[in-house]
């Protein structure tokens, strides 16, 4: 039984203390959760443990043996297997090729011994219940399957201590459950598992002990049985957090948006999306669920005018908007907060105030002669930055200088200050920490309260269930089902997300 | 430190390093750095006449560089400014050689406008191709540049602008189409005011107008620009037209102020030198003043050096080359600068550096 021991690890990036004297240990057969907000230093710590980063001080030992630091090969030899937040597979190669890459068993003639490789891989997947077809190319696998390949790869290299960095970030609820099943199996067979997450419920569910880190410091390590989500949240954020804050819907208004047989084709006969039809009411939040890449992005872009439909209509009130160009849609009070904040939402090199006026710089009150009324622009931005508590509170900084959470606040501040009638929001909390998520949720709810209709696209089912009045599930560009708030059920929605029709479709 | 001073630091460093490297080369090849530098100094700014001839080169270099810088700002690599420069010169020659009685000043104005329009229209072609056909502007501007030069050659060799005789050249433009000379016995014309005015206009355009804002947006993040409702194709075309207009003006001013006729040598590859001028100026219109002046000084100093100090003119080109190389290696400085500030050389795993490098550079 392998035992991992980490003692006094510190790591600085410039002035930033990413890890400050952190120690912990994991026993064989144990699942240790590492809980912390984004940027708390979890990944840094695990990169140090697995040899990808060299710490400024501290040591790592397996079974009492100190291993050389900053040497990934040594870590692997010692039995440490790390599954990174971003997979490191080669898409074009098959599962088998990916698995044995760099550690190919050779025949006596020096060629790759495919028979033995196959045998080893089969044994491993049987032993741990990780099933994937060894001959299919990695690019054709779902995210969950790719993850299984990553885990298999670690085992193939002899891992006895498995480190999973935010493994559930991209999984559907069913895939998450399945992963949890596997993790329990690993622990039962005596492996040590380090499970990294910023999601409280997952941590509560899977771990024996929880280690909480905040701003590079170890806050505490507690037995999961002796704690609850609320105390963990407080440890993680450093103050009380309102976790429940559920939505109170105060009766929905008239229909504002009618989408009718909307369709977008990649080429003839190859639909990306649709035909789909739905309506949206004043003050309603319509959640759009689905596994990534099932038409959510296309839907958002069709509504925002970035992509034009091949057929179908979009009515805003009674006006057709489906062929209006982007600027005319913006002027029709349709707002769009894209998922890719840095690539599509902001111009990172421009100042905060310049980003704030990005959609309206050409019209009053910002228009002035041939130029821009900088005074007005700055005053408006300053007011919004104050109201949304965007930090640092200096509108002359480039928006690159803002953290992810503050960039998202800036985006929301910009779009909300335009008083939209309809707002399309895509992945508004992806990559944000708990405090920022809470904030974004509050803003969206209060925006809906003022009558704005919101199309909320998210991969986080919890988020959708918390905020939405109705949830619409997209699968391969089709509406797999729409369900209203009282009937929200995780498992049913999860099944829809994987293409199974489990239930009657409700409108 | 003031912000502009900080942003001037790196280009300055670039130049200094270029000078040091070429000084070393000079030393090794038997031309002491001190002799080279003092000859260059004398040759470029040492006398009124030499200073004037530096400014003569400054005019087309700065104007063309403006065109390139504005296109670069829009994210468009207009490396064929040479062609737009030629088209401006051709139009200027054509209008300038037109006979007839023009009211005072009108002929000159027509020449200048013709050059601007010709350069702008010629740059519109790669703009349109890029915007609506996705053809990469590096290829198209380059090819069109050759086409323009060949077109010019054709015109003076056997085309309508040919002056009979052994040397391929066009007829001289009318007196009424020339820019007044400022310093007698030199070629320095009132074109210098046009150049400075153009810099002023470009700076105003880029920092004070909505169009400049849009151009900057497009260059920094075309996707976000599109999502903000700006028509990227239209803006691409407009940016190219403006860029071409400046380059065309450069050609027109050269004809009207210096050569007074179209001939093979009038262009002197300014369109290509101007690329480096723009890069060294970091595409900032104000930065083009020192940057263009430096390259102009090197070029005008070179001749003097050869004639009066017995140092081959190639030495000046070595310096120019060294600076060009340093400009190209600019990214390397950024990288080294970050490492220096972080105080740790070679510690980060390589895969993590680019993102951070990017972040630091723009601060
Ligand atoms: N290579 C790096 N260079 C500089 N800063 C980094 C680097 N890697 C991470 N950081 C910073 O260290 C902090 C901790 O990051 P990370 O360990 O990735 O957090 P987590 O995984 O808990 O979200 C963050 O503020 C992050 O920006
Ligand atoms: Mg992380």
């Amino acid at each position: 039984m392998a035992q991992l021991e980490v003692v006094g690890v510190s790591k600085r990036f410039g002035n930033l203390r990413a890890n400050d004297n952190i120690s912990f240990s994991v026993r064989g057969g144990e699942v240790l959760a590492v809980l912390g907000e984004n940027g708390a230093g979890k990944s840094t710590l695990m990169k140090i443990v697995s040899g990808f980063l060299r710490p400024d001080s501290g040591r790592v030992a397996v079974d009492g043996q100190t291993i050389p630091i900053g040497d990934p090969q040594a870590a692997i030899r010692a039995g440490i297997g790390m599954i990174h937040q971003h997979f490191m597979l080669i898409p074009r190669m098959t599962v088998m090729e990916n698995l044995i890459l760099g550690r190919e068993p050779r025949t006596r003639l020096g060629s790759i011994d495919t028979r033995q490789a196959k045998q080893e891989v089969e044994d491993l997947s049987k032993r741990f219940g990780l099933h994937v077809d060894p001959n299919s190319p990695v690019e054709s696998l779902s995210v969950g399957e790719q993850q299984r390949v990553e885990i298999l790869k670690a085992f193939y290299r002899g891992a006895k201590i498995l480190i999973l960095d935010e493994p559930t970030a991209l999984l559907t609820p069913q895939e998450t459950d399945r992963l949890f099943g596997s993790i329990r199996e690993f622990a039962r067979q005596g492996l040590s598992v380090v499970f990294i997450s910023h999601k409280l419920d997952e941590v509560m569910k899977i771990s024996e002990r929880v280690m909480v880190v905040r701003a590079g410091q170890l806050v505490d390590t507690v037995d999961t049985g002796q704690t609850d989500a609320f105390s963990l949240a407080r440890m993680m954020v450093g103050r009380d957090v309102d976790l429940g804050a559920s939505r109170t819907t105060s009766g929905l208004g008239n229909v504002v948006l009618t989408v009718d047989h909307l369709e977008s084709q990649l080429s003839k006969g190859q639909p990306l999306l649709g035909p789909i039809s739905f309506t949206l009411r004043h003050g309603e939040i319509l959640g759009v669920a689905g596994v990534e890449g099932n038409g959510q992005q296309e839907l958002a872009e069709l509504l925002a005018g970035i992509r034009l439909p091949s057929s179908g209509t979009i009515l805003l009130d009674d006006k057709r908007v489906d062929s209006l160009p982007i600027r005319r849609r913006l002027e029709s009070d349709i707002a769009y907060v894209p998922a890719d904040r840095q690539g599509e939402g902001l111009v990172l090199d421009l100042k905060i105030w310049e980003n704030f006026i990005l959609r309206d710089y050409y019209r009053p009150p910002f228009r002035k002669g041939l130029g821009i009324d900088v005074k007005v622009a700055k005053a408006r931005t300053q007011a919004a930055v104050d109201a949304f508590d965007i930090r640092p509170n200096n509108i002359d900084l480039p928006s690159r200088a803002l953290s992810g959470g503050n960039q998202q606040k800036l985006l929301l501040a910009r779009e909300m200050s335009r008083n939209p009638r309809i707002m399309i929001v895509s992945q508004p909390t992806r990559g944000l920490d708990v405090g920022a998520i809470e904030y974004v949720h509050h803003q969206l709810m209060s925006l809906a309260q003022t009558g704005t209709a919101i199309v909320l696209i998210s991969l986080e089912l919890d988020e959708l269930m918390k905020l939405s009045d109705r949830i619409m599930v997209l699968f391969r560009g089709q509406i797999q089902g729409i369900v209203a708030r009282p009937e929200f059920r995780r498992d049913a929605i999860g099944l829809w997300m994987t293409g199974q029709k489990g239930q009657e479709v409700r409108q | 430190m003031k912000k502009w001073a900080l942003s001037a630091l790196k280009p300055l460093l670039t130049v200094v390093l270029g000078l040091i490297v070429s000084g070393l080369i000079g030393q090794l090849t038997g031309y002491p750095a001190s002799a080279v530098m003092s000859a260059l100094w004398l040759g470029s700014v040492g006398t009124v006449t030499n200073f004037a001839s530096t400014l003569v080169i400054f005019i087309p270099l700065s104007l063309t560089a403006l065109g390139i810088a504005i296109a670069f700002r829009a994210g468009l690599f207009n490396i064929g400014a040479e062609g737009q420069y030629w088209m401006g010169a051709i139009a200027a020659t054509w209008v300038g050689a037109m006979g007839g009685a023009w009211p005072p000043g009108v002929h000159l104005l027509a020449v200048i406008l013709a050059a601007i329009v010709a350069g702008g229209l010629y740059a519109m072609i790669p703009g349109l191709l890029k915007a609506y056909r996705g053809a990469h502007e590096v290829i198209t501007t380059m090819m069109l540049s050759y086409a323009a030069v060949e077109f010019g050659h054709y015109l003076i060799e056997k085309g309508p602008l040919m002056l009979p005789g052994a040397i391929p050249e066009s007829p001289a433009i009318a007196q009424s189409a020339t820019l007044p000379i400022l310093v007698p016995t030199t070629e320095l014309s009132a074109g210098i005011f046009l150049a400075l005015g153009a810099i002023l206009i470009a700076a105003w355009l880029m920092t004070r107008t909505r169009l400049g804002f849009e151009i900057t947006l497009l260059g920094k993040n075309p996707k976000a620009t599109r999502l903000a409702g700006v028509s990227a194709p239209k803006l691409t075309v407009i940016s190219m037209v403006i860029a071409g207009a400046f380059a065309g003006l450069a050609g027109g001013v050269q004809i009207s102020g210096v050569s007074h006729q179209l001939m093979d040598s009038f262009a002197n590859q300014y369109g290509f030198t101007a690329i480096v001028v723009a890069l060294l100026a970091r595409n900032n219109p104000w930065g083009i003043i020192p940057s263009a002046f430096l390259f102009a000084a090197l070029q005008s100093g070179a001749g003097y050096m050869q004639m009066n100090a017995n140092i081959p003119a190639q030495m000046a080109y070595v310096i120019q080359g060294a600076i060009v190389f340093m400009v190209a290696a600019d990214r390397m400085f950024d990288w080294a600068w970050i490492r220096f500030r972080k105080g740790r050389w070679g510690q980060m795993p390589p895969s993590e550096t680019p993102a951070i490098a990017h972040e630091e550079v723009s601060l």
Side-chain angles (χ1 to χ4, degrees):
Chain A
M1 286 211 178
Q3 161 126 6
L4 172 70
E5 195 160 1
V6 176
V7 185
V9 164
S10 296
K11 174 79 185 171
R12 299 171 67 125
F13 293 116
N15 291 327
L16 181 98
R17 282 175 192 278
N19 283 169
D20 190 5
N21 194 21
I22 295 185
S23 306
F24 70 94
S25 64
V26 206
R27 292 183 300 273
E30 182 189 37
V31 180
L32 172 77
V34 179
L35 179 70
E37 294 190 287
N38 274 301
K42 308 181 294 294
S43 294
T44 302
L45 180 61
M46 293 311 152
K47 281 182 194 157
I48 289 169
V49 172
S50 54
F52 282 91
L53 275 177
R54 182 183 292 273
D56 301 333
S57 61
R59 67 188 186 86
V60 178
V62 175
D63 293 332
Q65 290 269 15
T66 300
I67 58 172
I69 51 175
D71 181 353
Q73 293 306 323
I76 290 173
R77 275 197 301 276
I80 297 174
M82 169 126 177
I83 313 300
H84 289 270
Q85 214 162 340
H86 306 285
F87 298 154
M88 299 185 166
L89 300 171
I90 301 168
R92 303 232 145 200
M93 291 174 40
T94 66
V95 170
M96 172 72 78
E97 287 164 340
N98 265 286
L99 284 173
I100 64 175
L101 188 69
R103 235 172 158 265
E104 302 89 349
R106 300 278 172 184
T107 61
R108 231 171 290 156
L109 293 172
S111 62
I112 295 176
D113 189 345
T114 34
R115 269 211 16 234
Q116 193 195 333
K118 202 161 233 159
Q119 192 56 47
E120 281 182 45
V121 169
E122 255 164 38
D123 289 349
L124 281 174
S125 60
K126 213 170 275 158
R127 177 172 161 208
F128 294 108
L130 296 166
H131 298 290
V132 272
D133 175 7
N135 296 319
S136 48
V138 162
E139 59 194 346
S140 72
L141 301 182
S142 74
V143 180
E145 288 171 320
Q146 290 188 23
Q147 190 173 55
R148 261 171 263 154
V149 178
E150 281 278 13
I151 297 175
L152 272 175
K153 194 164 114 191
F155 288 146
Y156 182 75
R157 297 179 174 202
K160 294 171 290 175
I161 299 158
L162 195 65
I163 302 172
L164 298 149
D165 194 355
E166 310 234 5
T168 60
L170 300 170
L171 301 184
T172 63
Q174 276 81 11
E175 283 173 329
T176 301
D177 284 344
R178 188 158 174 188
L179 173 70
F180 282 7
S182 305
I183 290 178
R184 290 198 186 94
E185 178 61 25
F186 305 155
R188 210 185 53 76
Q189 297 193 22
L191 301 177
S192 313
V193 181
V194 179
F195 174 87
I196 299 166
S197 180
H198 62 257
K199 295 184 191 163
L200 297 162
D201 53 332
E202 293 181 351
V203 167
M204 290 299 296
K205 211 153 132 192
I206 191 72
S207 68
E208 267 107 58
R209 285 191 303 144
V210 189
M211 161 174 134
V212 185
V213 285
R214 184 171 76 227
Q217 309 241 348
L218 177 65
V219 180
D220 201 357
T221 306
V222 292
D223 286 335
T224 313
Q226 310 287 316
T227 188
D228 54 57
F230 186 73
S231 346
L232 284 180
R234 190 166 44 199
M235 278 195 264
M236 174 165 75
V237 186
R239 60 182 167 80
D240 281 340
V241 185
D242 186 359
L243 289 172
S246 173
R247 197 165 131 64
T248 47
T249 24
S250 51
L252 300 174
N254 303 325
V255 170
V256 268
L257 187 78
T258 312
V259 172
D260 190 22
H261 284 89
L262 193 66
E263 186 166 10
S264 172
Q265 289 186 344
L266 190 60
S267 57
K268 250 209 150 28
Q270 260 193 306
L272 281 171
L273 178 77
I276 66 170
S277 307
F278 62 89
T279 59
L280 190 63
R281 293 170 177 278
H282 261 293
E284 180 182 29
I285 300 183
L286 174 67
V288 179
V291 176
E292 186 149 31
N294 274 281
Q296 299 97 316
Q297 183 69 17
E298 285 75 18
L299 175 62
E301 293 185 351
L302 283 170
L303 294 177
I306 295 152
R307 184 191 284 275
L308 292 178
S310 39
S311 65
T313 57
I314 306 172
L315 292 181
L316 178 62
D317 295 326
D318 296 318
K319 235 177 58 215
R320 273 188 74 163
V321 295
D322 43 76
S323 54
L324 292 184
I326 298 171
R327 180 155 284 176
R328 294 291 313 285
R329 296 215 203 182
L330 290 169
E331 287 167 355
S332 319
D333 297 326
I334 298 176
Y336 175 40
V337 180
D340 185 359
R341 294 190 272 278
Q342 308 198 329
E344 298 187 340
L346 296 171
V347 182
L348 291 180
D349 289 334
L350 290 196
K351 294 173 177 152
I352 291 174
W353 70 265
E354 290 171 315
N355 273 288
F356 185 77
I357 60 169
L358 197 60
R359 305 242 188 285
D360 301 287
Y361 67 91
Y362 67 95
R363 57 176 181 171
F366 303 126
R367 181 191 195 97
K368 185 179 170 192
L370 284 173
I372 290 166
D373 193 334
V374 177
K375 248 199 197 139
V376 173
K378 285 191 168 185
R380 295 279 175 114
T381 310
Q382 190 61 56
V385 163
D386 292 341
F388 280 75
D389 190 26
I390 293 169
R391 288 181 230 178
N393 187 325
N394 176 358
I395 59 172
D396 282 314
L397 286 178
S399 53
R400 190 185 289 286
L402 299 176
S403 67
N406 282 293
Q407 287 178 353
Q408 185 68 320
K409 280 186 184 178
L410 175 58
L411 270 183
L412 282 176
R414 177 176 80 203
E415 300 307 327
M416 285 172 67
S417 69
R418 305 180 68 248
N419 291 320
R421 285 165 54 69
I422 293 176
M423 179 139 115
I424 304 129
V425 195
S426 189
Q427 322 279 14
T429 59
R430 183 160 70 181
L432 302 193
D433 59 51
V434 175
I437 290 174
E438 179 196 24
Y439 185 84
V440 168
H441 286 175
H442 267 121
Q443 290 298 337
L444 290 178
M445 286 190 274
S446 58
L447 183 65
Q449 209 64 224
T450 63
T452 301
I454 300 176
V455 177
L456 172 65
I457 297 168
S458 176
L459 299 177
E460 301 278 351
L461 199 43
D462 294 318
E463 174 167 88
L464 293 174
M465 293 182 48
K466 176 175 159 192
L467 297 177
S468 312
D469 295 292
R470 284 183 303 156
I471 292 178
M472 168 167 112
V473 180
L474 287 183
F475 178 72
R476 300 211 175 130
Q478 304 287 335
I479 297 180
Q480 195 73 6
I482 296 185
V483 59
R485 188 166 193 81
E487 281 102 39
F488 285 175
R489 276 182 45 217
R490 278 186 73 84
D491 48 352
I493 296 175
L495 283 177
W496 280 350
M497 283 164 67
T498 53
Q500 281 136 307
K501 289 253 183 201
Q503 238 186 19
E504 276 295 283
V505 177
R506 287 167 208 277
Q507 280 295 331
Chain B
M1 227 184 312
K2 286 242 157 47
K3 228 174 81 189
W4 69 264
L6 199 68
S7 60
L9 197 66
K10 238 184 292 179
L12 208 64
L13 200 70
T14 309
V15 172
V16 169
L17 275 175
L19 289 177
I20 291 174
V21 167
S22 41
L24 284 176
I25 296 175
Q27 208 80 35
L28 287 177
T29 49
Y31 300 103
S34 57
V36 173
M37 294 302 163
S38 69
L40 271 180
W41 177 264
L42 258 177
S44 58
V45 294
T47 69
V48 172
T49 318
N50 292 350
F51 186 59
S53 58
T54 296
L55 289 184
V56 169
I57 301 174
F58 171 84
I59 297 170
L61 268 188
S62 60
L63 282 171
T64 313
L66 278 181
I68 294 168
I70 288 175
F72 276 7
R73 284 282 202 105
L76 299 164
F77 293 93
N78 177 25
I79 59 167
E82 176 93 357
Q84 295 138 31
Y85 175 87
W86 267 86
M87 286 316 240
I90 289 169
T93 308
W94 179 58
V95 175
M98 277 182 190
W102 300 74
V106 173
H107 198 179
L108 180 59
L109 193 68
V111 164
I112 298 298
L113 286 180
I116 293 175
V117 170
L121 285 179
Y122 201 57
M124 189 184 221
I125 302 171
L128 288 168
L129 287 173
K130 164 90 178 187
Y132 299 102
R133 282 285 167 271
H136 203 288
E137 72 280 2
V138 166
I139 312 281
T140 53
T141 57
M142 197 67 208
M143 289 193 330
L144 285 168
S145 153
Y146 291 126
V149 177
E150 290 312 318
F151 179 56
H153 285 167
Y154 156 77
L155 287 178
I156 54 177
E157 277 163 25
K158 32 188 173 302
L161 283 181
M162 173 184 71
L163 190 70
I167 313 158
E169 59 187 354
S170 80
I173 58 172
Q175 185 65 37
S176 55
T178 59
L179 281 159
I181 294 292
L182 291 186
V183 182
T185 76
T186 71
E187 290 181 315
L188 181 62
S189 71
I192 186 74
F193 299 124
L194 287 176
L196 294 175
I199 289 170
L200 198 77
I201 288 174
W204 170 79
L205 176 80
M206 290 312 294
T207 59
R208 290 290 148 86
T209 67
R210 285 194 297 278
L211 182 60
F213 184 66
E214 287 169 345
I215 290 176
T216 310
L217 287 183
L218 183 67
K220 298 270 186 203
N221 187 340
K223 251 181 167 174
T225 306
R226 180 157 173 254
L227 261 65
V230 178
S231 163
K234 214 165 91 186
L235 194 55
T236 300
V237 176
I238 292 175
S239 307
M240 279 307 291
V241 168
I242 294 174
F246 279 108
L249 174 63
V253 171
Q254 189 70 1
I255 293 295
S256 172
V258 181
S259 75
H260 298 165
Q261 64 180 156
L262 193 64
M263 50 194 175
D264 194 21
S265 65
F266 96 107
N268 209 1
Q269 304 264 315
Y270 289 137
F272 296 108
T273 311
I275 295 174
V276 192
V277 171
L279 286 177
L280 183 62
R282 303 212 137 201
N283 303 323
N284 178 330
W286 296 120
I288 283 177
I289 296 180
S291 170
F293 190 83
L294 172 72
F295 280 87
L298 283 173
Q299 284 205 3
S300 76
Y304 179 90
M305 193 166 71
Q306 173 144 357
M307 280 186 286
N308 301 295
N310 246 331
I311 301 170
Q314 275 71 13
M315 208 47 232
Y317 302 128
V318 168
I319 300 177
Q320 201 167 316
I323 294 176
V324 169
F325 177 77
M326 290 298 162
V327 171
D330 198 35
R331 286 271 135 195
M332 233 161 58
F333 290 135
D334 292 346
W335 177 82
W337 173 246
I338 291 153
R339 285 300 168 96
F340 170 72
R341 281 210 348 206
K342 299 242 161 186
R344 303 169 302 116
W345 290 77
Q347 251 202 29
M348 273 180 275
S351 65
E352 313 224 353
T353 38
I356 298 156
H358 205 68
E359 193 163 305
E360 290 274 332
V361 167
S362 66
L363 285 184

